[in-house]
Amino acid sequence: MSTTKPNAKILIAEDNPQGVELLEAFLSDLPYEVRSARDGEATLRLVQEWQPDLLLLDIMMPKLSGFEVCKRLRQDSTTRDLPIIMVTALDQPSDVERAVEAGTSDFLTKPIHKLELRLRIEAMLASHHGQGELGETVDYIQAVQKAKT
């Protein structure tokens, strides 16, 4: 099923152990390396250390909420473009608005459906990988043009 970069790294930020187990089970047969963090501070630390390709981010977490984690990641130039899918039991339009304002790339409401999660992850990783390739192509073209002058 996977058409994205093999061995993509996915970080699950979720304080509920059953939630982590479920998400890990949904991804277990795909070519991803998966790690988890149980609170907002640990999430920020692991994003910096491990540099995942995608973050599945729960909103209601100890120490820092998912909203705050997302805002901080978007303010940092090294993590600004990290694809973030917020995963939450919150389902009010105002929650979705806050998630978008915080900078989320996508939003999934619990209970999570396996196929929907996997399709969104695939799309997000493919899009992010394509943006990286586009940037490399632009850099190459600019370097060639500069060399001609």
mmCIF file with all atom_site columns, all heavy atoms in Angstrom, residues 9-33:
data_model
loop_
_atom_site.group_PDB
_atom_site.id
_atom_site.type_symbol
_atom_site.label_atom_id
_atom_site.label_alt_id
_atom_site.label_comp_id
_atom_site.label_asym_id
_atom_site.label_entity_id
_atom_site.label_seq_id
_atom_site.pdbx_PDB_ins_code
_atom_site.Cartn_x
_atom_site.Cartn_y
_atom_site.Cartn_z
_atom_site.occupancy
_atom_site.B_iso_or_equiv
_atom_site.pdbx_formal_charge
_atom_site.auth_seq_id
_atom_site.auth_comp_id
_atom_site.auth_asym_id
_atom_site.auth_atom_id
_atom_site.pdbx_PDB_model_num
ATOM 1   N N   . LYS A 1 9  ? 9.627  7.925  9.478  1.00 0.00 ? 9  LYS A N   1
ATOM 2   C CA  . LYS A 1 9  ? 9.557  7.929  10.939 1.00 0.00 ? 9  LYS A CA  1
ATOM 3   C C   . LYS A 1 9  ? 8.295  8.671  11.380 1.00 0.00 ? 9  LYS A C   1
ATOM 4   O O   . LYS A 1 9  ? 8.089  9.819  10.999 1.00 0.00 ? 9  LYS A O   1
ATOM 5   C CB  . LYS A 1 9  ? 10.803 8.586  11.517 1.00 0.00 ? 9  LYS A CB  1
ATOM 6   C CG  . LYS A 1 9  ? 12.076 7.847  11.152 1.00 0.00 ? 9  LYS A CG  1
ATOM 7   C CD  . LYS A 1 9  ? 13.307 8.375  11.845 1.00 0.00 ? 9  LYS A CD  1
ATOM 8   C CE  . LYS A 1 9  ? 13.644 9.783  11.466 1.00 0.00 ? 9  LYS A CE  1
ATOM 9   N NZ  . LYS A 1 9  ? 14.946 10.233 12.000 1.00 0.00 ? 9  LYS A NZ  1
ATOM 10  N N   . ILE A 1 10 ? 7.483  7.985  12.178 1.00 0.00 ? 10 ILE A N   1
ATOM 11  C CA  . ILE A 1 10 ? 6.241  8.567  12.682 1.00 0.00 ? 10 ILE A CA  1
ATOM 12  C C   . ILE A 1 10 ? 6.296  8.608  14.202 1.00 0.00 ? 10 ILE A C   1
ATOM 13  O O   . ILE A 1 10 ? 6.544  7.591  14.852 1.00 0.00 ? 10 ILE A O   1
ATOM 14  C CB  . ILE A 1 10 ? 5.010  7.763  12.216 1.00 0.00 ? 10 ILE A CB  1
ATOM 15  C CG1 . ILE A 1 10 ? 4.926  7.807  10.692 1.00 0.00 ? 10 ILE A CG1 1
ATOM 16  C CG2 . ILE A 1 10 ? 3.736  8.304  12.859 1.00 0.00 ? 10 ILE A CG2 1
ATOM 17  C CD1 . ILE A 1 10 ? 3.794  7.000  10.110 1.00 0.00 ? 10 ILE A CD1 1
ATOM 18  N N   . LEU A 1 11 ? 6.054  9.791  14.739 1.00 0.00 ? 11 LEU A N   1
ATOM 19  C CA  . LEU A 1 11 ? 5.998  9.970  16.187 1.00 0.00 ? 11 LEU A CA  1
ATOM 20  C C   . LEU A 1 11 ? 4.541  10.056 16.609 1.00 0.00 ? 11 LEU A C   1
ATOM 21  O O   . LEU A 1 11 ? 3.783  10.866 16.073 1.00 0.00 ? 11 LEU A O   1
ATOM 22  C CB  . LEU A 1 11 ? 6.751  11.240 16.599 1.00 0.00 ? 11 LEU A CB  1
ATOM 23  C CG  . LEU A 1 11 ? 6.708  11.604 18.084 1.00 0.00 ? 11 LEU A CG  1
ATOM 24  C CD1 . LEU A 1 11 ? 7.278  10.489 18.961 1.00 0.00 ? 11 LEU A CD1 1
ATOM 25  C CD2 . LEU A 1 11 ? 7.449  12.913 18.322 1.00 0.00 ? 11 LEU A CD2 1
ATOM 26  N N   . ILE A 1 12 ? 4.159  9.222  17.571 1.00 0.00 ? 12 ILE A N   1
ATOM 27  C CA  . ILE A 1 12 ? 2.817  9.249  18.158 1.00 0.00 ? 12 ILE A CA  1
ATOM 28  C C   . ILE A 1 12 ? 2.913  9.979  19.490 1.00 0.00 ? 12 ILE A C   1
ATOM 29  O O   . ILE A 1 12 ? 3.602  9.527  20.400 1.00 0.00 ? 12 ILE A O   1
ATOM 30  C CB  . ILE A 1 12 ? 2.279  7.819  18.377 1.00 0.00 ? 12 ILE A CB  1
ATOM 31  C CG1 . ILE A 1 12 ? 2.158  7.073  17.045 1.00 0.00 ? 12 ILE A CG1 1
ATOM 32  C CG2 . ILE A 1 12 ? 0.935  7.861  19.110 1.00 0.00 ? 12 ILE A CG2 1
ATOM 33  C CD1 . ILE A 1 12 ? 1.846  5.589  17.198 1.00 0.00 ? 12 ILE A CD1 1
ATOM 34  N N   . ALA A 1 13 ? 2.246  11.106 19.601 1.00 0.00 ? 13 ALA A N   1
ATOM 35  C CA  . ALA A 1 13 ? 2.207  11.865 20.850 1.00 0.00 ? 13 ALA A CA  1
ATOM 36  C C   . ALA A 1 13 ? 0.832  11.648 21.470 1.00 0.00 ? 13 ALA A C   1
ATOM 37  O O   . ALA A 1 13 ? -0.156 12.231 21.035 1.00 0.00 ? 13 ALA A O   1
ATOM 38  C CB  . ALA A 1 13 ? 2.460  13.350 20.585 1.00 0.00 ? 13 ALA A CB  1
ATOM 39  N N   . GLU A 1 14 ? 0.785  10.779 22.460 1.00 0.00 ? 14 GLU A N   1
ATOM 40  C CA  . GLU A 1 14 ? -0.488 10.348 23.059 1.00 0.00 ? 14 GLU A CA  1
ATOM 41  C C   . GLU A 1 14 ? -0.208 9.905  24.489 1.00 0.00 ? 14 GLU A C   1
ATOM 42  O O   . GLU A 1 14 ? 0.681  9.082  24.717 1.00 0.00 ? 14 GLU A O   1
ATOM 43  C CB  . GLU A 1 14 ? -1.060 9.198  22.227 1.00 0.00 ? 14 GLU A CB  1
ATOM 44  C CG  . GLU A 1 14 ? -2.183 8.418  22.845 1.00 0.00 ? 14 GLU A CG  1
ATOM 45  C CD  . GLU A 1 14 ? -3.476 9.191  22.960 1.00 0.00 ? 14 GLU A CD  1
ATOM 46  O OE1 . GLU A 1 14 ? -4.070 9.533  21.922 1.00 0.00 ? 14 GLU A OE1 1
ATOM 47  O OE2 . GLU A 1 14 ? -3.890 9.446  24.114 1.00 0.00 ? 14 GLU A OE2 1
ATOM 48  N N   . ASP A 1 15 ? -0.965 10.437 25.451 1.00 0.00 ? 15 ASP A N   1
ATOM 49  C CA  . ASP A 1 15 ? -0.734 10.083 26.850 1.00 0.00 ? 15 ASP A CA  1
ATOM 50  C C   . ASP A 1 15 ? -1.458 8.820  27.282 1.00 0.00 ? 15 ASP A C   1
ATOM 51  O O   . ASP A 1 15 ? -1.108 8.217  28.288 1.00 0.00 ? 15 ASP A O   1
ATOM 52  C CB  . ASP A 1 15 ? -1.113 11.250 27.774 1.00 0.00 ? 15 ASP A CB  1
ATOM 53  C CG  . ASP A 1 15 ? -2.585 11.612 27.677 1.00 0.00 ? 15 ASP A CG  1
ATOM 54  O OD1 . ASP A 1 15 ? -3.113 11.654 26.544 1.00 0.00 ? 15 ASP A OD1 1
ATOM 55  O OD2 . ASP A 1 15 ? -3.205 11.870 28.711 1.00 0.00 ? 15 ASP A OD2 1
ATOM 56  N N   . ASN A 1 16 ? -2.431 8.370  26.511 1.00 0.00 ? 16 ASN A N   1
ATOM 57  C CA  . ASN A 1 16 ? -3.202 7.178  26.857 1.00 0.00 ? 16 ASN A CA  1
ATOM 58  C C   . ASN A 1 16 ? -2.505 5.941  26.278 1.00 0.00 ? 16 ASN A C   1
ATOM 59  O O   . ASN A 1 16 ? -2.418 5.797  25.055 1.00 0.00 ? 16 ASN A O   1
ATOM 60  C CB  . ASN A 1 16 ? -4.617 7.316  26.292 1.00 0.00 ? 16 ASN A CB  1
ATOM 61  C CG  . ASN A 1 16 ? -5.492 6.141  26.609 1.00 0.00 ? 16 ASN A CG  1
ATOM 62  O OD1 . ASN A 1 16 ? -5.063 5.002  26.608 1.00 0.00 ? 16 ASN A OD1 1
ATOM 63  N ND2 . ASN A 1 16 ? -6.756 6.426  26.884 1.00 0.00 ? 16 ASN A ND2 1
ATOM 64  N N   . PRO A 1 17 ? -2.035 5.018  27.133 1.00 0.00 ? 17 PRO A N   1
ATOM 65  C CA  . PRO A 1 17 ? -1.326 3.825  26.637 1.00 0.00 ? 17 PRO A CA  1
ATOM 66  C C   . PRO A 1 17 ? -2.151 2.997  25.644 1.00 0.00 ? 17 PRO A C   1
ATOM 67  O O   . PRO A 1 17 ? -1.610 2.477  24.673 1.00 0.00 ? 17 PRO A O   1
ATOM 68  C CB  . PRO A 1 17 ? -1.033 3.015  27.903 1.00 0.00 ? 17 PRO A CB  1
ATOM 69  C CG  . PRO A 1 17 ? -1.090 4.004  29.014 1.00 0.00 ? 17 PRO A CG  1
ATOM 70  C CD  . PRO A 1 17 ? -2.081 5.048  28.601 1.00 0.00 ? 17 PRO A CD  1
ATOM 71  N N   . GLN A 1 18 ? -3.468 2.898  25.862 1.00 0.00 ? 18 GLN A N   1
ATOM 72  C CA  . GLN A 1 18 ? -4.309 2.145  24.933 1.00 0.00 ? 18 GLN A CA  1
ATOM 73  C C   . GLN A 1 18 ? -4.383 2.845  23.576 1.00 0.00 ? 18 GLN A C   1
ATOM 74  O O   . GLN A 1 18 ? -4.418 2.198  22.529 1.00 0.00 ? 18 GLN A O   1
ATOM 75  C CB  . GLN A 1 18 ? -5.726 1.943  25.498 1.00 0.00 ? 18 GLN A CB  1
ATOM 76  C CG  . GLN A 1 18 ? -5.792 1.031  26.695 1.00 0.00 ? 18 GLN A CG  1
ATOM 77  C CD  . GLN A 1 18 ? -5.445 1.740  28.009 1.00 0.00 ? 18 GLN A CD  1
ATOM 78  O OE1 . GLN A 1 18 ? -5.407 2.968  28.095 1.00 0.00 ? 18 GLN A OE1 1
ATOM 79  N NE2 . GLN A 1 18 ? -5.159 0.961  29.038 1.00 0.00 ? 18 GLN A NE2 1
ATOM 80  N N   . GLY A 1 19 ? -4.384 4.173  23.601 1.00 0.00 ? 19 GLY A N   1
ATOM 81  C CA  . GLY A 1 19 ? -4.386 4.940  22.351 1.00 0.00 ? 19 GLY A CA  1
ATOM 82  C C   . GLY A 1 19 ? -3.107 4.724  21.563 1.00 0.00 ? 19 GLY A C   1
ATOM 83  O O   . GLY A 1 19 ? -3.133 4.569  20.337 1.00 0.00 ? 19 GLY A O   1
ATOM 84  N N   . VAL A 1 20 ? -1.973 4.699  22.272 1.00 0.00 ? 20 VAL A N   1
ATOM 85  C CA  . VAL A 1 20 ? -0.686 4.439  21.616 1.00 0.00 ? 20 VAL A CA  1
ATOM 86  C C   . VAL A 1 20 ? -0.686 3.035  21.008 1.00 0.00 ? 20 VAL A C   1
ATOM 87  O O   . VAL A 1 20 ? -0.304 2.852  19.849 1.00 0.00 ? 20 VAL A O   1
ATOM 88  C CB  . VAL A 1 20 ? 0.491  4.594  22.608 1.00 0.00 ? 20 VAL A CB  1
ATOM 89  C CG1 . VAL A 1 20 ? 1.807  4.162  21.968 1.00 0.00 ? 20 VAL A CG1 1
ATOM 90  C CG2 . VAL A 1 20 ? 0.586  6.027  23.116 1.00 0.00 ? 20 VAL A CG2 1
ATOM 91  N N   . GLU A 1 21 ? -1.132 2.054  21.786 1.00 0.00 ? 21 GLU A N   1
ATOM 92  C CA  . GLU A 1 21 ? -1.163 0.665  21.302 1.00 0.00 ? 21 GLU A CA  1
ATOM 93  C C   . GLU A 1 21 ? -2.032 0.530  20.054 1.00 0.00 ? 21 GLU A C   1
ATOM 94  O O   . GLU A 1 21 ? -1.662 -0.163 19.108 1.00 0.00 ? 21 GLU A O   1
ATOM 95  C CB  . GLU A 1 21 ? -1.675 -0.269 22.393 1.00 0.00 ? 21 GLU A CB  1
ATOM 96  C CG  . GLU A 1 21 ? -0.676 -0.527 23.494 1.00 0.00 ? 21 GLU A CG  1
ATOM 97  C CD  . GLU A 1 21 ? -1.234 -1.453 24.575 1.00 0.00 ? 21 GLU A CD  1
ATOM 98  O OE1 . GLU A 1 21 ? -2.121 -2.272 24.269 1.00 0.00 ? 21 GLU A OE1 1
ATOM 99  O OE2 . GLU A 1 21 ? -0.767 -1.334 25.721 1.00 0.00 ? 21 GLU A OE2 1
ATOM 100 N N   . LEU A 1 22 ? -3.181 1.196  20.052 1.00 0.00 ? 22 LEU A N   1
ATOM 101 C CA  . LEU A 1 22 ? -4.080 1.121  18.906 1.00 0.00 ? 22 LEU A CA  1
ATOM 102 C C   . LEU A 1 22 ? -3.422 1.725  17.665 1.00 0.00 ? 22 LEU A C   1
ATOM 103 O O   . LEU A 1 22 ? -3.416 1.112  16.588 1.00 0.00 ? 22 LEU A O   1
ATOM 104 C CB  . LEU A 1 22 ? -5.396 1.850  19.205 1.00 0.00 ? 22 LEU A CB  1
ATOM 105 C CG  . LEU A 1 22 ? -6.406 1.858  18.065 1.00 0.00 ? 22 LEU A CG  1
ATOM 106 C CD1 . LEU A 1 22 ? -6.890 0.449  17.760 1.00 0.00 ? 22 LEU A CD1 1
ATOM 107 C CD2 . LEU A 1 22 ? -7.570 2.767  18.398 1.00 0.00 ? 22 LEU A CD2 1
ATOM 108 N N   . LEU A 1 23 ? -2.848 2.908  17.792 1.00 0.00 ? 23 LEU A N   1
ATOM 109 C CA  . LEU A 1 23 ? -2.201 3.550  16.645 1.00 0.00 ? 23 LEU A CA  1
ATOM 110 C C   . LEU A 1 23 ? -1.012 2.728  16.152 1.00 0.00 ? 23 LEU A C   1
ATOM 111 O O   . LEU A 1 23 ? -0.818 2.569  14.944 1.00 0.00 ? 23 LEU A O   1
ATOM 112 C CB  . LEU A 1 23 ? -1.776 4.978  17.004 1.00 0.00 ? 23 LEU A CB  1
ATOM 113 C CG  . LEU A 1 23 ? -2.929 5.955  17.241 1.00 0.00 ? 23 LEU A CG  1
ATOM 114 C CD1 . LEU A 1 23 ? -2.417 7.273  17.808 1.00 0.00 ? 23 LEU A CD1 1
ATOM 115 C CD2 . LEU A 1 23 ? -3.712 6.191  15.947 1.00 0.00 ? 23 LEU A CD2 1
ATOM 116 N N   . GLU A 1 24 ? -0.235 2.189  17.081 1.00 0.00 ? 24 GLU A N   1
ATOM 117 C CA  . GLU A 1 24 ? 0.890  1.338  16.684 1.00 0.00 ? 24 GLU A CA  1
ATOM 118 C C   . GLU A 1 24 ? 0.396  0.097  15.945 1.00 0.00 ? 24 GLU A C   1
ATOM 119 O O   . GLU A 1 24 ? 0.994  -0.316 14.945 1.00 0.00 ? 24 GLU A O   1
ATOM 120 C CB  . GLU A 1 24 ? 1.710  0.930  17.907 1.00 0.00 ? 24 GLU A CB  1
ATOM 121 C CG  . GLU A 1 24 ? 2.541  2.053  18.475 1.00 0.00 ? 24 GLU A CG  1
ATOM 122 C CD  . GLU A 1 24 ? 3.283  1.678  19.755 1.00 0.00 ? 24 GLU A CD  1
ATOM 123 O OE1 . GLU A 1 24 ? 2.936  0.668  20.405 1.00 0.00 ? 24 GLU A OE1 1
ATOM 124 O OE2 . GLU A 1 24 ? 4.208  2.429  20.109 1.00 0.00 ? 24 GLU A OE2 1
ATOM 125 N N   . ALA A 1 25 ? -0.692 -0.483 16.416 1.00 0.00 ? 25 ALA A N   1
ATOM 126 C CA  . ALA A 1 25 ? -1.256 -1.667 15.752 1.00 0.00 ? 25 ALA A CA  1
ATOM 127 C C   . ALA A 1 25 ? -1.736 -1.325 14.342 1.00 0.00 ? 25 ALA A C   1
ATOM 128 O O   . ALA A 1 25 ? -1.525 -2.097 13.404 1.00 0.00 ? 25 ALA A O   1
ATOM 129 C CB  . ALA A 1 25 ? -2.403 -2.244 16.582 1.00 0.00 ? 25 ALA A CB  1
ATOM 130 N N   . PHE A 1 26 ? -2.357 -0.167 14.178 1.00 0.00 ? 26 PHE A N   1
ATOM 131 C CA  . PHE A 1 26 ? -2.835 0.263  12.862 1.00 0.00 ? 26 PHE A CA  1
ATOM 132 C C   . PHE A 1 26 ? -1.680 0.424  11.870 1.00 0.00 ? 26 PHE A C   1
ATOM 133 O O   . PHE A 1 26 ? -1.868 0.285  10.670 1.00 0.00 ? 26 PHE A O   1
ATOM 134 C CB  . PHE A 1 26 ? -3.591 1.582  12.968 1.00 0.00 ? 26 PHE A CB  1
ATOM 135 C CG  . PHE A 1 26 ? -4.991 1.471  13.504 1.00 0.00 ? 26 PHE A CG  1
ATOM 136 C CD1 . PHE A 1 26 ? -5.728 2.614  13.751 1.00 0.00 ? 26 PHE A CD1 1
ATOM 137 C CD2 . PHE A 1 26 ? -5.582 0.242  13.783 1.00 0.00 ? 26 PHE A CD2 1
ATOM 138 C CE1 . PHE A 1 26 ? -7.028 2.542  14.236 1.00 0.00 ? 26 PHE A CE1 1
ATOM 139 C CE2 . PHE A 1 26 ? -6.882 0.158  14.275 1.00 0.00 ? 26 PHE A CE2 1
ATOM 140 C CZ  . PHE A 1 26 ? -7.604 1.315  14.495 1.00 0.00 ? 26 PHE A CZ  1
ATOM 141 N N   . LEU A 1 27 ? -0.493 0.745  12.370 1.00 0.00 ? 27 LEU A N   1
ATOM 142 C CA  . LEU A 1 27 ? 0.656  1.018  11.503 1.00 0.00 ? 27 LEU A CA  1
ATOM 143 C C   . LEU A 1 27 ? 1.658  -0.129 11.445 1.00 0.00 ? 27 LEU A C   1
ATOM 144 O O   . LEU A 1 27 ? 2.641  -0.062 10.703 1.00 0.00 ? 27 LEU A O   1
ATOM 145 C CB  . LEU A 1 27 ? 1.368  2.287  11.992 1.00 0.00 ? 27 LEU A CB  1
ATOM 146 C CG  . LEU A 1 27 ? 0.515  3.552  12.068 1.00 0.00 ? 27 LEU A CG  1
ATOM 147 C CD1 . LEU A 1 27 ? 1.309  4.696  12.663 1.00 0.00 ? 27 LEU A CD1 1
ATOM 148 C CD2 . LEU A 1 27 ? -0.034 3.914  10.694 1.00 0.00 ? 27 LEU A CD2 1
ATOM 149 N N   . SER A 1 28 ? 1.422  -1.180 12.202 1.00 0.00 ? 28 SER A N   1
ATOM 150 C CA  . SER A 1 28 ? 2.429  -2.228 12.407 1.00 0.00 ? 28 SER A CA  1
ATOM 151 C C   . SER A 1 28 ? 2.871  -2.944 11.133 1.00 0.00 ? 28 SER A C   1
ATOM 152 O O   . SER A 1 28 ? 4.001  -3.396 11.045 1.00 0.00 ? 28 SER A O   1
ATOM 153 C CB  . SER A 1 28 ? 1.945  -3.245 13.436 1.00 0.00 ? 28 SER A CB  1
ATOM 154 O OG  . SER A 1 28 ? 0.816  -3.934 12.932 1.00 0.00 ? 28 SER A OG  1
ATOM 155 N N   . ASP A 1 29 ? 2.001  -3.084 10.147 1.00 0.00 ? 29 ASP A N   1
ATOM 156 C CA  . ASP A 1 29 ? 2.382  -3.805 8.932  1.00 0.00 ? 29 ASP A CA  1
ATOM 157 C C   . ASP A 1 29 ? 2.849  -2.885 7.800  1.00 0.00 ? 29 ASP A C   1
ATOM 158 O O   . ASP A 1 29 ? 3.020  -3.313 6.670  1.00 0.00 ? 29 ASP A O   1
ATOM 159 C CB  . ASP A 1 29 ? 1.228  -4.692 8.455  1.00 0.00 ? 29 ASP A CB  1
ATOM 160 C CG  . ASP A 1 29 ? -0.002 -3.893 8.073  1.00 0.00 ? 29 ASP A CG  1
ATOM 161 O OD1 . ASP A 1 29 ? -0.183 -2.777 8.603  1.00 0.00 ? 29 ASP A OD1 1
ATOM 162 O OD2 . ASP A 1 29 ? -0.791 -4.382 7.238  1.00 0.00 ? 29 ASP A OD2 1
ATOM 163 N N   . LEU A 1 30 ? 3.064  -1.626 8.124  1.00 0.00 ? 30 LEU A N   1
ATOM 164 C CA  . LEU A 1 30 ? 3.553  -0.662 7.137  1.00 0.00 ? 30 LEU A CA  1
ATOM 165 C C   . LEU A 1 30 ? 5.035  -0.379 7.388  1.00 0.00 ? 30 LEU A C   1
ATOM 166 O O   . LEU A 1 30 ? 5.526  -0.572 8.503  1.00 0.00 ? 30 LEU A O   1
ATOM 167 C CB  . LEU A 1 30 ? 2.735  0.636  7.224  1.00 0.00 ? 30 LEU A CB  1
ATOM 168 C CG  . LEU A 1 30 ? 1.244  0.478  6.909  1.00 0.00 ? 30 LEU A CG  1
ATOM 169 C CD1 . LEU A 1 30 ? 0.508  1.781  7.150  1.00 0.00 ? 30 LEU A CD1 1
ATOM 170 C CD2 . LEU A 1 30 ? 1.040  0.002  5.487  1.00 0.00 ? 30 LEU A CD2 1
ATOM 171 N N   . PRO A 1 31 ? 5.753  0.088  6.377  1.00 0.00 ? 31 PRO A N   1
ATOM 172 C CA  . PRO A 1 31 ? 7.208  0.272  6.512  1.00 0.00 ? 31 PRO A CA  1
ATOM 173 C C   . PRO A 1 31 ? 7.599  1.554  7.238  1.00 0.00 ? 31 PRO A C   1
ATOM 174 O O   . PRO A 1 31 ? 8.376  2.357  6.730  1.00 0.00 ? 31 PRO A O   1
ATOM 175 C CB  . PRO A 1 31 ? 7.675  0.292  5.052  1.00 0.00 ? 31 PRO A CB  1
ATOM 176 C CG  . PRO A 1 31 ? 6.535  0.929  4.326  1.00 0.00 ? 31 PRO A CG  1
ATOM 177 C CD  . PRO A 1 31 ? 5.294  0.399  5.019  1.00 0.00 ? 31 PRO A CD  1
ATOM 178 N N   . TYR A 1 32 ? 7.058  1.743  8.429  1.00 0.00 ? 32 TYR A N   1
ATOM 179 C CA  . TYR A 1 32 ? 7.346  2.939  9.209  1.00 0.00 ? 32 TYR A CA  1
ATOM 180 C C   . TYR A 1 32 ? 8.085  2.563  10.486 1.00 0.00 ? 32 TYR A C   1
ATOM 181 O O   . TYR A 1 32 ? 7.826  1.523  11.083 1.00 0.00 ? 32 TYR A O   1
ATOM 182 C CB  . TYR A 1 32 ? 6.059  3.675  9.606  1.00 0.00 ? 32 TYR A CB  1
ATOM 183 C CG  . TYR A 1 32 ? 5.187  4.090  8.451  1.00 0.00 ? 32 TYR A CG  1
ATOM 184 C CD1 . TYR A 1 32 ? 3.815  3.935  8.512  1.00 0.00 ? 32 TYR A CD1 1
ATOM 185 C CD2 . TYR A 1 32 ? 5.732  4.637  7.289  1.00 0.00 ? 32 TYR A CD2 1
ATOM 186 C CE1 . TYR A 1 32 ? 3.004  4.321  7.458  1.00 0.00 ? 32 TYR A CE1 1
ATOM 187 C CE2 . TYR A 1 32 ? 4.921  5.028  6.239  1.00 0.00 ? 32 TYR A CE2 1
ATOM 188 C CZ  . TYR A 1 32 ? 3.567  4.874  6.323  1.00 0.00 ? 32 TYR A CZ  1
ATOM 189 O OH  . TYR A 1 32 ? 2.763  5.256  5.290  1.00 0.00 ? 32 TYR A OH  1
ATOM 190 N N   . GLU A 1 33 ? 8.948  3.461  10.901 1.00 0.00 ? 33 GLU A N   1
ATOM 191 C CA  . GLU A 1 33 ? 9.552  3.343  12.216 1.00 0.00 ? 33 GLU A CA  1
ATOM 192 C C   . GLU A 1 33 ? 8.698  4.223  13.128 1.00 0.00 ? 33 GLU A C   1
ATOM 193 O O   . GLU A 1 33 ? 8.501  5.404  12.833 1.00 0.00 ? 33 GLU A O   1
ATOM 194 C CB  . GLU A 1 33 ? 10.996 3.848  12.171 1.00 0.00 ? 33 GLU A CB  1
ATOM 195 C CG  . GLU A 1 33 ? 11.739 3.657  13.462 1.00 0.00 ? 33 GLU A CG  1
ATOM 196 C CD  . GLU A 1 33 ? 13.181 4.130  13.379 1.00 0.00 ? 33 GLU A CD  1
ATOM 197 O OE1 . GLU A 1 33 ? 13.694 4.370  12.273 1.00 0.00 ? 33 GLU A OE1 1
ATOM 198 O OE2 . GLU A 1 33 ? 13.783 4.283  14.457 1.00 0.00 ? 33 GLU A OE2 1
#
